[in-house]
Amino acid sequence: MSAQTYLAYDYPLLSAFWTMLWLFLWIMWLVLLFRVIVDVFRDDSMGGWAKAGWLALCIVVPFLGVLIYVIARGKGMGQREIAQARDQQKAFESYIRQTAQSGTGQTSSVDELARLSEMKSRGDISDEEFRRAKALILGDAGPAAAPRTGAVPTTHGR
């Protein structure tokens, strides 16, 4: 038998367990190190020198630097993570609303103004009707209904 075959027989189950445990702990520490580094850059309350100091500590003495950072700033780390997740959720919901609104066929104020100016240029509405409809659209009163041809709006009590 070759030396490689003997290696499988000479490596007991408990040693395999300890190897996997150390590998898991090492990977977990790497994940924590990267989260600390991301948190250092994410924190807006820290100045540039403080960020450089924490980063240098985590690079020069990695195990101790990460441990000190988690002890000193661990609570704020979670709060910043939650705040960032909320901001991302709000941005996503805003994007969905904009996309859904543009897909429903609702016209924007620009489209309404273009339609009104076209009606005015054809002579379908008068200058006074155009000004009133334009004021409604620009006043965010919603899309203005196009006045009927030849109809003169009344001011009812004004």
Side-chain angles (χ1 to χ4, degrees), residues 1-16:
M1 290 185 143
S2 68
Q4 291 177 345
T5 308
Y6 288 125
L7 180 63
Y9 292 114
D10 291 340
Y11 203 67
L13 185 62
L14 187 60
S15 294

Side-chain angles (χ1 to χ4, degrees), residues 18-32:
W18 284 113
T19 301
M20 287 189 309
L21 180 68
W22 282 111
L23 183 66
F24 172 75
L25 290 174
W26 184 71
I27 290 172
M28 194 169 71
W29 177 81
L30 276 176
V31 168
L32 186 60

